[in-house]
């Protein structure tokens, strides 16, 4: 009896203690905010991926792991759910369409938007045959680690490579380092070299790495390098600056919550090729002393605010509705306390602008991006053109070609400035359904056909014509068994029918557009500041500007589209409306004059009536 | 809000006009046979025609009036259609047409004010009514026709409302007022337009009744 009671008591104790443990979320010391505005000093030991302390005397030295080193005090699992790392999670609300990754390959005349997020118009990496391993190899250069870099590939061969390369853990230093010797370009280089385990350490100011996993055979064993001595020089080796360890073998990390703009810019630079002068204009917010994280901030969840209108519908960040153009500059009048003027944001007056503009246009339409020209220009971005990485092609013509600025309707129905990409890729068509082909298969099959007679501009469109497309489709037909190959470019699909190219429109060929918000111009350079005709005239770029149709086919390059075609507006109406502004000054003058006449007549007869009335009163 | 107010106001106006037509027919005894109704419609239509006896100035006056009436109809249709039926801001072709005819109406009103204002003065025939209204002297003398009085009041109200109606929208086109004031001006324009429309409709009905009564007396 006593024994049974004891057993039961122990069992209940164990069960309840289990529940108690499950109910209490582990709180990390670095995530508890004491309320002090002082930054914590990060004098901490380096830990390798197994959590072992790294000592300068170790032989061989292991690269430090951010998951272990930073994760000792910060909740790595929570951080992993942040916007920069959660694209691979299909349950995350993708929010407003953003800049996709763009797979560009001049040898196959391809540029195609790719994203793990469900943004309409983008393709999933799997559709192109990009496994998480390949995706990270191609695009990891401008990732802060995590995401696809931590996914395990389904391909056994790739799994072996992943074992060698290690996980591309979230690189906290990519954003938080404030040391000017921290080199994100080195991180990008290590990703390409498949030195993923070493990447964060190599980029840091106190370590350097030699060697290249990409050169190692799949059977290489780091624990037994003597088995393959010929690959010894290629095996990655890390060197730490011995002087940075203190007497307790700790290291000072120069990190901060106040992220430097240059850290953001490594992945988020947007370089305007044309018009060049717009490059001179810094974003007005930065010029005013704000930083990127003044608006785009987050808590430990790292669910960074993208700061677009309506973000609170998609984001779990409680401040998502508090930081946007309108939230900071206009505030929410329904709130009991004034909310406008966040970080001294001035309240706009918008004199002479009818309020209907605010229903039809986003704030960025008038205030962001370069001043529109009658012909759209192009931009290069960090993530699309590997800006800032070692050996990045600095030529303006390199693929992908991003057309900007295009005033188009965005997802909430307002006209906003966008970047635009005309997809060009090889696909397979079956029963009206078109799916992109595996990019590696395409490259192996037709790069010889496409590259024939190439001119030296190797990263631009190859010289293409209908004959080349026909030959390439025929070549692809030999490897594509289900359906027939087609080529998509310039907004149209090309299929082979009776030895001739059949060109037709299809949803899949439509351009991908994503809204832009930067650089924000000063109010004195906003659209409409001079006169209504900045937008409302038949030669205003805003509506009647030419949008470049980018295509490898020279004949299609002249087929521009008009800006209003992206605004869901009747062109006849828009021309008519714009034309009415020619007479608008006269109309204003005449109506004012008419009001004056009416006023004068009323005044005259009013005075007369008063005169008569007073006379009548005085006569008794 | 404006949509609901407008619907109520227009409903009340048309109900009041209907009640007036039923209770106070212009010609007694009331004739409601199909022939007489057609005759009435033809009579009302004939009021729009330009009479041959008119002088050149008379023709100009009549044409101005017709253009004013047409402009008003266009403006009322374009201005209230989207708002009353769909509670939408005026936009698209409606906006272009509205702005264009707005200018035409302003010019026509200015011209009409010059042409007609003298004949719409309240002369001494209205003094007895004023006396009765102010209660300063016992009512005596021949009272003026009440339809005509109402018509004259409507006439003056039309011109009084026309000034803020025009200015509220024209001034918003200049770089003078910020968003809050723009919204206020737009609201002023909307509500004055509603009042203006009501007065114009009332004036038109009263004018038709007055004209029919006059023609009946002459015949």
């Amino acid at each position: 009896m006593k024994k049974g009671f004891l057993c039961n008591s122990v069992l209940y104790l164990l069960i309840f203690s289990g529940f108690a443990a499950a109910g209490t979320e582990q709180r990390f010391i670095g995530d508890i905010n004491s309320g002090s505005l002082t930054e914590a000093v990060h004098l901490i030991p380096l830990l390798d991926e197994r959590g072992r302390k790294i000592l300068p005397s170790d032989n061989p030295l292991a690269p430090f792991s951010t998951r272990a080193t930073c994760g000792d005090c910060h909740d790595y699992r929570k951080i992993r759910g942040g916007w920069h790392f959660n694209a691979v999670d299909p349950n995350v609300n993708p929010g407003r369409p953003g800049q996709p990754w763009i797979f560009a390959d001049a040898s196959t005349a391809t540029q195609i938007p790719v994203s793990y997020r469900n943004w309409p118009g983008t393709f999933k990496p799997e559709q192109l045959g990009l496994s998480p391993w390949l995706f990270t190899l191609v695009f990891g250069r401008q990732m802060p680690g995590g995401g696809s870099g931590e996914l395990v590939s389904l391909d056994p061969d790739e799994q072996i490579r992943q074992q060698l390369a290690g996980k591309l853990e979230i690189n906290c230093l990519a954003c938080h380092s404030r040391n000017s010797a921290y080199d994100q370009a080195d991180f990008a280089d290590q990703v390409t070299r498949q030195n993923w385990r070493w990447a964060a350490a190599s980029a840091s100011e106190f370590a350097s790495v030699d060697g290249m996993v990409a050169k190692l055979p799949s059977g290489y064993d780091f624990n037994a390098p003597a088995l393959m001595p010929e690959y010894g020089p290629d095996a990655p080796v890390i060197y730490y600056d011995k002087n940075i360890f203190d007497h307790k073998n700790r290291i000072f990390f120069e990190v901060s919550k106040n992220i430097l703009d240059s850290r953001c810019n490594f992945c988020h630079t947007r370089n305007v090729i044309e018009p060049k002068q717009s490059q001179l204009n810094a974003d007005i917010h930065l010029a005013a002393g704000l930083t990127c994280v003044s608006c785009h901030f987050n808590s430990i969840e790292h669910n960074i605010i993208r700061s677009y209108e309506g973000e609170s519908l998609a984001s779990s960040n409680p401040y998502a509705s508090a930081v946007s153009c309108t939230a900071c500059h206009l505030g929410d009048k329904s709130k009991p306390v004034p909310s406008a003027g966040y970080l001294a944001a001035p309240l706009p007056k918008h004199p002479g602008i009818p309020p209907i503009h605010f229903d039809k246009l986003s704030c960025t339409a008038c205030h962001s991006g370069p001043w529109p020209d009658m012909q759209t220009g192009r931009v290069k971005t960090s993530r699309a053109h590997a800006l800032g990485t070692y050996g990045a092609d600095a030529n303006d013509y390199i693929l992908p070609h991003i057309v900007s600025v295009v005033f188009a309707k965005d997802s909430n129905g307002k006209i906003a400035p966008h970047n635009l990409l005309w997809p060009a890729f090889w696909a397979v068509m079956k029963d009206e359904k078109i799916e992109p082909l595996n990019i590696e298969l395409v490259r192996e099959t037709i790069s010889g056909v496409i590259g024939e007679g190439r001119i030296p501009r190797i990263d631009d469109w190859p010289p293409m014509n209908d004959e080349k497309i026909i030959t390439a489709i025929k070549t692809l037909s030999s490897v594509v068994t289900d359906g027939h190959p087609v080529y998509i470019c310039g907004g149209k699909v090309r299929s082979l029918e009776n030895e001739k190219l059949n060109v037709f429109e299809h949803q899949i060929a439509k351009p991908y557009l994503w809204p832009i918000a930067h650089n924000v111009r000063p109010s004195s350079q906003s659209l409409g500041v001079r006169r209504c005709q900045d937008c409302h005239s038949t030669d205003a770029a805003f509506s009647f500007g030419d949008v470049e149709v980018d295509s490898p086919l020279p004949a299609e390059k002249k087929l521009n589209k008009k800006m209003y075609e992206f605004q869901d507006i009747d062109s006849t109406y828009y021309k008519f409306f714009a034309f009415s502004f020619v007479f608008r000054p006269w109309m204003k003058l005449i109506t004012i004059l008419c009001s004056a006449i009416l006023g004068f007549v009323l005044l005259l007869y009013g005075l007369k009536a008063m005169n008569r009335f007073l006379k009548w009163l005085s006569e008794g | 809000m404006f949509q609901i107010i407008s619907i109520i106001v227009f409903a009340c106006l048309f109900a009041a006009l209907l009640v007036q037509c039923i209770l106070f027919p212009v010609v007694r005894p009331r004739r409601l046979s199909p022939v007489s109704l057609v005759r009435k419609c033809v009579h009302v239509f004939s009021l729009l025609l330009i009479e041959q006896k008119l002088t050149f100035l008379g023709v100009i006056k009549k044409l101005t009036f017709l253009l004013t009436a047409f402009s008003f109809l266009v403006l009322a249709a374009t201005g209230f259609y989207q708002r009353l039926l769909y509670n939408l801001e005026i936009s698209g072709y409606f906006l272009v047409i509205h702005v264009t005819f707005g200018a035409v109406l302003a010019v026509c009103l200015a011209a009409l004010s010059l042409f007609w204002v003298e004949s719409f003065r309240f002369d001494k025939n209205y003094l007895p009514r004023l006396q009765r209204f102010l209660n300063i002297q016992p009512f005596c003398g021949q009272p003026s026709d009440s339809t005509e009085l109402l018509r004259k009041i409507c006439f003056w109200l039309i011109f009084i409302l026309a000034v803020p109606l025009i200015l509220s929208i024209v001034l918003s086109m200049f770089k003078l007022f910020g968003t809050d004031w723009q919204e206020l001006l737009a609201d002023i324009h909307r509500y004055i337009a509603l009042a203006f429309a009501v007065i114009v409709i009332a004036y038109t009905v009263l004018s038709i009744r007055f004209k029919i009564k006059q023609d009946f007396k002459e015949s």
Side-chain angles (χ1 to χ4, degrees):
Chain A
M1 176 73 182
K2 249 185 181 177
K3 206 174 181 182
F5 176 75
L6 199 69
C7 283
N8 280 346
S9 302
V10 170
L11 192 65
Y12 283 129
L13 199 69
L14 281 172
I15 291 168
F16 280 116
S17 60
F19 274 125
T24 315
E25 197 184 342
Q26 191 186 354
R27 296 189 79 192
F28 290 79
I29 192 167
D31 300 341
I32 301 166
N33 187 354
S34 68
S36 170
L37 295 177
T38 314
E39 289 256 20
V41 175
H42 289 76
L43 190 59
I44 51 172
L46 293 179
L47 305 177
D48 69 10
E49 61 185 356
R50 292 180 192 168
R52 289 180 306 206
K53 192 172 176 180
I54 297 169
L55 303 172
S57 54
D58 286 352
N59 189 18
L61 281 162
F64 71 86
S65 152
T66 48
R67 182 177 49 76
T69 306
C70 307
D72 210 23
C73 300
H74 300 284
D75 193 341
Y76 189 84
R77 279 192 309 169
K78 261 190 190 171
I79 294 166
R80 195 186 265 166
W83 180 255
H84 279 96
F85 321 108
N86 67 12
V88 291
D89 182 354
N91 298 317
V92 171
N93 189 326
R96 184 175 81 166
Q99 179 178 3
W101 295 101
I102 302 169
F103 182 84
D105 178 22
S107 71
T108 55
T110 297
Q111 60 173 26
I112 181 167
V114 191
S115 180
Y116 279 108
R117 300 192 195 277
N118 287 322
W119 287 329
T122 61
F123 297 89
K124 289 270 181 286
E126 317 71 275
Q127 288 180 281
L128 278 69
L130 284 172
S131 63
W133 163 256
L134 290 173
F135 185 83
T136 312
L137 269 184
V138 177
F139 299 115
R141 55 178 161 74
Q142 248 119 357
M143 284 180 185
S148 62
E150 289 189 306
L151 290 182
V152 178
S153 182
L154 298 173
D155 182 350
D157 291 340
E158 288 182 356
Q159 281 177 11
I160 294 170
R161 297 305 309 172
Q162 281 183 322
Q163 290 273 336
L164 287 172
K167 286 200 167 167
L168 190 66
E169 294 173 347
I170 293 170
N171 178 10
C172 310
L173 301 176
C175 304
H176 292 281
S177 175
R178 286 186 73 90
N179 193 300
S180 51
Y182 174 83
D183 188 2
Q184 188 65 18
D186 186 31
F187 177 87
D189 190 40
Q190 299 301 327
V191 171
T192 318
R193 289 165 166 256
Q194 300 182 9
N195 297 346
W196 294 4
R197 187 180 285 115
W198 295 263
S202 178
S204 71
E205 63 275 16
F206 49 78
S208 56
V209 171
D210 272 346
M212 190 174 184
V213 170
K215 286 187 178 175
L216 299 178
S218 294
Y220 190 82
D221 187 352
F222 286 116
N223 295 319
L227 293 175
M228 292 187 182
E230 68 274 29
Y231 291 108
D234 296 326
V237 179
I238 187 160
Y239 304 95
Y240 288 105
D241 178 356
K242 297 279 187 326
N243 297 323
I244 54 133
F245 288 88
D246 73 356
H247 69 289
K248 290 181 183 172
N249 289 318
R250 296 176 304 179
I251 275 186
F252 170 63
F253 275 93
E254 199 179 344
V255 289
S256 170
K257 285 187 287 187
N258 299 316
I259 314 292
L260 291 170
D261 291 346
S262 61
R263 295 278 168 260
C264 307
N265 285 336
F266 188 80
C267 301
H268 295 286
T269 294
R270 184 173 168 275
N271 196 334
V272 180
I273 299 171
E274 287 293 338
K276 285 279 184 207
Q277 70 272 18
S278 65
Q279 282 297 93
L280 299 172
N281 234 345
D283 189 287
I284 189 67
H285 296 98
L286 301 183
L290 274 66
T291 61
C292 302
V293 290
S294 300
C295 301
H296 305 290
F297 58 84
N298 54 267
S299 56
I300 186 62
E301 285 83 7
H302 281 63
N303 214 352
I304 200 159
I305 298 176
R306 295 170 69 196
S307 303
Y308 62 88
E309 308 293 335
E311 188 183 358
S312 56
L313 299 172
S315 172
S316 59
N317 191 319
Y319 297 103
S321 62
V323 188
S324 65
C325 305
T326 53
C328 297
H329 288 278
L330 299 173
D332 185 352
K333 285 174 184 167
S334 65
K335 284 189 176 169
V337 289
S339 59
Y342 171 68
L343 294 176
L347 268 69
K349 290 192 178 70
H350 290 126
I353 308 281
I356 193 153
H357 285 75
F358 311 123
D359 297 333
K360 305 269 183 194
L361 305 172
S362 71
C363 304
T364 50
C366 303
H367 295 281
S368 294
W371 185 276
D373 215 342
M374 281 310 280
Q375 175 71 49
T376 50
R378 286 189 192 166
V379 293
K380 284 166 75 177
T381 73
S382 296
R383 291 162 60 200
H385 298 92
L387 303 181
T389 60
Y390 299 153
D393 191 337
N395 288 306
D396 286 345
Y397 56 73
I398 64 164
L399 292 176
H401 292 166
I402 299 175
V403 178
S404 190
V405 52
V406 180
F407 291 95
K409 255 192 184 169
D410 69 8
S411 51
N412 66 2
K414 290 185 177 183
I415 296 171
H418 286 72
N419 283 344
L420 178 150
L421 181 88
W422 292 98
F425 57 97
W426 301 88
V428 59
M429 186 172 175
K430 191 186 171 192
D431 303 331
E432 302 293 314
K433 200 180 171 197
I434 300 176
E435 281 280 320
L437 277 167
N438 183 308
I439 47 171
E440 206 48 52
L441 176 82
V442 172
R443 194 182 276 162
E444 282 170 9
T445 315
I446 61 163
S447 58
V449 177
I450 303 296
E452 198 178 313
R454 290 211 60 170
I455 53 170
R457 282 164 68 140
I458 52 166
D459 284 330
D460 195 2
W461 290 125
M464 291 280 278
N465 52 40
D466 287 356
E467 286 72 39
K468 265 193 181 182
I469 294 174
I470 291 171
T471 314
I473 288 177
K474 281 181 180 173
T475 314
L476 279 171
S477 298
S478 61
V479 291
V480 175
T481 50
D482 201 13
H484 58 274
V486 292
Y487 182 57
I488 286 134
C489 71
K492 294 191 179 92
V493 179
R494 285 160 175 78
S495 66
L496 192 59
E497 278 178 27
N498 302 326
E499 299 294 310
K500 279 189 176 174
L501 274 186
N502 179 28
V503 183
F504 57 96
E505 292 192 348
H506 192 280
Q507 182 66 28
I508 204 165
K510 294 215 161 143
Y512 179 78
L513 294 104
W514 65 98
I516 55 167
H518 298 288
N519 288 344
V520 178
R521 300 193 300 273
S523 61
S524 52
Q525 290 179 21
S526 52
L527 281 177
V529 73
R530 297 178 300 179
R531 51 188 180 268
C532 303
Q533 283 88 332
D534 280 348
C535 300
H536 297 299
S537 78
T538 47
D539 58 356
F542 180 83
S543 315
F544 300 101
D546 289 320
V547 177
E548 177 192 3
V549 176
D550 178 51
S551 167
L553 290 168
E556 272 191 343
K557 285 182 180 169
K558 292 164 194 162
L559 302 175
N560 287 324
K561 282 193 175 283
K562 288 287 179 189
M563 207 74 87
Y564 57 72
E565 294 180 54
F566 297 89
Q567 297 170 4
D568 202 13
I569 284 174
D570 175 14
S571 63
T572 315
Y573 157 71
Y574 219 79
K575 276 179 192 158
F576 192 48
F577 188 61
F579 187 63
S580 74
F581 277 80
V582 174
F583 308 103
R584 192 59 73 95
W586 286 102
M587 190 204 72
K588 286 184 200 171
L589 188 72
I590 288 167
T591 44
I592 291 273
L593 206 65
C594 291
S595 310
I597 292 170
L598 282 170
F600 179 74
V601 168
L602 286 171
L603 186 69
L604 182 69
Y605 280 81
L607 290 172
K608 269 187 175 183
M610 191 171 279
N611 179 39
R612 183 67 58 87
F613 181 67
L614 291 175
K615 264 188 188 171
W616 175 70
L617 276 181
S618 62
E619 284 165 5
Chain B
M1 185 68 178
F2 179 73
Q3 182 196 26
I4 297 164
I5 291 173
S6 304
I7 290 170
I8 292 169
V9 166
F10 279 121
C12 291
L13 172 72
F14 288 117
L17 292 174
L18 195 69
V19 167
Q20 194 203 20
C21 287
I22 293 166
L23 297 181
F24 310 105
V26 183
V27 182
R28 285 181 190 273
R30 186 200 309 280
R31 281 170 288 180
L32 284 172
S33 64
V35 176
S36 69
L37 284 174
V38 171
R39 193 175 291 163
K40 272 178 191 167
C41 289
V42 171
H43 190 178
V44 170
F45 178 74
S46 68
L47 296 176
L48 300 173
L49 302 175
I50 297 167
E51 299 157 62
Q52 283 191 333
K53 65 180 180 188
L54 289 177
T55 59
F56 176 71
L57 193 62
V59 172
I60 295 289
K61 279 181 186 177
K62 184 83 181 216
L63 284 173
T64 310
F65 168 74
L66 291 175
L67 188 58
T68 311
F70 180 68
S71 305
F72 169 76
L73 284 175
V74 172
L75 286 166
T78 52
F80 287 108
Y81 171 74
Q82 282 179 309
R83 178 59 79 175
L84 290 189
L85 294 187
Y86 310 109
N87 199 21
L88 290 174
E89 291 275 349
I90 181 172
S91 61
Y93 283 109
F94 285 116
L95 181 64
V96 177
I97 295 168
H98 193 82
V99 172
T100 309
F101 277 89
V104 175
L105 183 74
V107 173
C108 289
L109 284 173
L112 280 186
S113 72
L114 298 174
F115 292 147
W116 283 9
V117 75
E118 191 60 29
S119 56
F120 277 84
R121 281 175 62 184
F122 294 100
D123 54 25
K124 57 188 173 188
N125 291 334
Y126 292 90
L127 279 178
R129 281 186 181 276
L130 187 65
Q131 284 167 341
R132 189 174 61 172
F133 180 71
L134 296 174
N135 203 18
I136 52 174
Q137 213 173 312
F139 174 71
C140 59
Q142 183 67 28
S144 58
D145 182 66
S146 60
T147 309
E148 198 190 352
L149 173 71
L150 282 173
R151 193 167 153 255
K152 283 191 175 181
I153 290 170
C154 285
F155 175 86
W156 284 103
L157 278 176
I158 286 171
F159 287 101
I160 289 167
L161 289 175
V163 177
L165 180 68
I166 296 167
L167 287 180
S168 60
I169 206 68
V170 174
L171 290 180
S172 72
M173 294 179 191
F174 291 94
K175 288 186 178 177
L176 298 170
F177 301 103
T179 307
D180 290 343
W181 280 96
Q182 288 271 346
E183 280 169 357
L184 181 69
L185 285 170
D187 277 342
I188 290 171
H189 184 74
R190 270 187 216 112
Y191 284 101
I192 291 182
L194 178 63
F196 185 85
V198 167
I199 303 291
V200 168
I201 292 167
Y203 170 81
T204 310
V205 172
L206 291 169
S207 294
I208 291 168
R209 287 169 67 86
F210 178 74
K211 201 80 179 156
I212 290 173
K213 201 186 265 184
Q214 259 191 345
D215 291 352
F216 184 74
K217 274 182 191 168
E218 283 171 15
S219 65

